Amino acid sequence: MEEVYSDLISYEVELEEKNSALEEAQRFITSVLSSVSDILVVCDQRGAIQQVNLAFLRLTDIAEVDLLGQPVDDLLAEEVGPLSYWLEAGPGNDREVRFKLRDGGVSEPVALTCATLLDHRGLPAGMVLTGRPVGELRRAYEALKRAQAQLVQQEKMASLGRLIAGVAHELNNPISFIVGNVHVLSKYRERLETYLAAVHGGASAAEREAARGTLRIDAMMDDLPDLIEGTREGAQRVADIVKSLKRLSFSDAGAAQPVPLAELTRKAVQWAVKGRNSASTIVQEIPDDLEALGRAGQIHQVLVNLVENALDAVADLPTGRVEVRGQQTKAMAVIEVADNGSGIAEADLSKVFDPFFTTKPVGQGTGLGLWISYGIVRDHGGMLEAENRPGGGALFRMTLPRD
Ligand SMILES: Nc1ncnc2c1ncn2[C@@H]1O[C@H](COP(=O)(O)OP(=O)(O)OP(=O)(O)O)[C@@H](O)[C@H]1O
Ligand SMILES: [Mg+2]
């Protein structure tokens, strides 16, 4: 008897514990349901309302007791057919409906979604309607659109910043070349002035000869044409870059013309080598008559970029070697720039033409070189490809139409 009694006690304690856990769960669910801003209506299989949440009570302004047990179809302001048919048609599609209000009015449109309610055995036991007033959705959509526009704007600004850095990089090479030449030219001017002063100051022939020697007038005169030509080319290059920048924004491409590739490559290699202390060997094998149809300034830019990259790749090698070779097929001119550096990591092969992709330290690469080059070659109707050479090093192949 005592045993039965103690069993009863422990049973009751257990029951109370379960009950309070249940109440706790109920409170939790209720508070969750009342805090969501979407409306929620649960119906049984005949469409009678079993449960609604606070958002739905607020929308209709009808008391909960007046809603429970009512057919949900009766609450719809317009004839949209029984919601249960809609449910049978399958889940998915939102439906825009309006609900009747307590004061006889009609709610704003609600985008309603209908799902099957399953019982604990997983069998259909009714339906769950969830929805949100369309006006609210529209507002959320507008806010999202604004946020997206802002992001696009920010991304544009960031791209612009990187583009400007790239432009600065492109301009830096010819400008430092011009500045260097002008520096030398001004030194030459001083020497000429000294010499002319001696000549006009009535120096004897012997003195003039001596001054000519010490001032190295002959070597200077030999140097002048190259210096002037180099400066002129540098200025031309700056002008070309500015022009190609204009083309970037207005896509105003000049007419294509036959471009002598051997000469262009020679100049491009000169440009790429200028200003760097490169001990690397550069081999150029371009047939003299190799021609492509295109815009010389742009193709020059591509070649400079490719050779610069190759020189970067071999910069730390004692036996760095860059090979620029040309050949022609029936319709195309092909120029390959290859090096014996460490090549391109397999995972990067697909990325090297992406704008701003660079593996170089900050300040040494913007990752625009190949992107710009790719665009130029593509606009010419050609192709720019990257691969690793079997023996090590990278190879870039530019294919351009010959006519
Ligand atoms: N010859 C090469 N060997 C190995 N990697 C290369 C070679 N050429 C290009 N790459 C890789 O491709 C990346 C992108 O090259 P890209 O010319 O577009 O930009 P960058 O040289 O880094 O910078 P920028 O040309 O704007 O100064 C390089 O950072 C490098 O990782
Ligand atoms: Mg580069």
Side-chain angles (χ1 to χ4, degrees):
M1 181 67 194
E2 219 164 83
E3 200 179 310
V4 172
Y5 183 70
S6 91
D7 271 2
L8 215 62
I9 297 262
S10 69
Y11 182 62
E12 195 182 326
V13 167
E14 200 183 321
L15 214 64
E16 266 170 20
E17 274 170 9
K18 280 200 172 139
N19 192 37
S20 75
L22 220 72
E23 276 174 358
E24 181 56 33
Q26 175 78 21
R27 267 198 301 280
F28 178 70
I29 291 172
T30 311
S31 90
V32 169
L33 289 184
S34 56
S35 64
V36 291
S37 61
D38 284 19
I39 64 160
L40 178 114
V41 181
V42 182
C43 308
D44 66 13
Q45 270 180 305
R46 287 168 295 120
I49 296 176
Q50 302 289 295
Q51 194 169 2
V52 294
N53 72 345
L54 198 61
F56 188 72
L57 296 177
R58 288 212 180 110
L59 178 79
T60 57
D61 200 26
I62 304 178
E64 189 168 4
V65 284
D66 296 334
L67 287 171
L68 297 183
Q70 297 297 318
V72 69
D73 289 336
D74 286 359
L75 281 173
L76 298 174
E78 299 126 23
E79 192 54 60
V80 288
L83 287 179
S84 48
Y85 287 1
W86 172 33
L87 183 60
E88 275 162 22
N93 308 342
D94 273 13
R95 198 176 258 218
E96 232 176 87
V97 300
R98 289 167 192 268
F99 288 100
K100 290 179 190 158
L101 306 181
R102 187 173 63 126
D103 60 9
V106 166
S107 77
E108 57 177 314
V110 173
L112 205 64
T113 311
C114 190
T116 308
L117 175 71
L118 301 176
D119 66 11
H120 62 283
R121 287 163 303 180
L123 298 173
M127 57 183 173
V128 181
L129 305 171
T130 50
R132 178 172 281 240
V134 173
E136 211 172 294
L137 277 177
R138 223 162 259 151
R139 277 193 297 281
Y141 176 67
E142 293 299 327
L144 208 69
K145 255 184 23 190
R146 272 196 305 278
Q148 191 208 21
Q150 235 165 31
L151 272 178
V152 168
Q153 187 60 24
Q154 275 168 12
E155 179 51 34
K156 267 193 193 154
M157 293 306 287
S159 303
L160 191 65
R162 286 177 295 212
L163 190 66
I164 289 170
V167 170
H169 164 87
E170 294 278 354
L171 288 176
N172 201 33
N173 193 347
I175 288 176
S176 55
F177 191 54
I178 294 172
V179 170
N181 282 3
V182 169
H183 179 75
V184 176
L185 281 171
S186 76
K187 290 263 175 256
Y188 283 6
R189 190 193 60 83
E190 284 166 21
R191 271 152 62 182
L192 260 183
E193 222 167 47
T194 315
Y195 183 64
L196 282 178
V199 170
H200 295 304
S204 68
E207 282 166 341
R208 281 207 311 259
E209 268 320 291
R212 188 168 156 187
T214 49
L215 291 167
R216 299 196 304 281
I217 297 296
D218 293 311
M220 187 176 85
M221 292 310 282
D222 283 351
D223 231 14
L224 272 180
D226 274 359
L227 269 178
I228 291 169
E229 176 59 13
T231 310
R232 202 191 57 75
E233 272 186 31
Q236 182 60 47
R237 174 104 182 91
V238 172
D240 283 352
I241 291 171
V242 171
K243 232 198 280 174
S244 86
L245 278 177
K246 279 197 197 144
R247 206 185 71 83
L248 260 185
S249 44
F250 305 118
S251 59
D252 151 57
Q257 283 175 342
V259 177
L261 289 174
E263 191 196 327
L264 202 67
T265 304
R266 212 167 24 77
K267 281 190 185 162
V269 169
Q270 264 172 24
W271 274 115
V273 173
K274 284 263 155 55
R276 52 167 95 210
N277 237 340
S278 175
S280 312
T281 311
I282 303 184
V283 179
Q284 295 177 64
E285 276 179 26
I286 316 272
D288 278 338
D289 59 350
L290 190 64
E291 270 187 4
L293 194 69
R295 291 169 284 276
Q298 295 185 345
I299 299 174
H300 170 92
Q301 196 178 340
V302 175
L303 287 166
V304 172
N305 284 335
L306 294 182
V307 176
E308 276 185 341
N309 283 348
L311 287 172
D312 283 347
V314 297
D316 297 333
L317 300 181
T319 55
R321 192 177 163 86
V322 174
E323 295 167 14
V324 190
R325 296 183 196 282
Q327 75 201 50
Q328 64 180 51
T329 66
K330 214 163 148 215
M332 306 298 255
V334 184
I335 291 192
E336 293 181 344
V337 180
D339 61 69
N340 63 346
S342 50
I344 303 164
E346 209 53 42
D348 291 345
L349 267 176
S350 60
K351 298 191 210 142
V352 290
F353 297 112
D354 288 351
F356 312 118
F357 173 80
T358 182
T359 54
K360 294 172 190 171
V362 179
Q364 288 182 30
T366 58
L368 275 174
L370 286 179
W371 178 66
I372 293 176
S373 303
Y374 189 90
I376 289 175
V377 176
R378 188 198 49 212
D379 286 354
H380 274 76
M383 236 174 356
L384 185 59
E385 302 158 288
E387 60 190 56
N388 283 314
R389 305 165 86 186
L395 183 149
F396 285 81
R397 183 181 303 110
M398 170 169 68
T399 312
L400 291 168
R402 288 174 52 208
D403 53 11

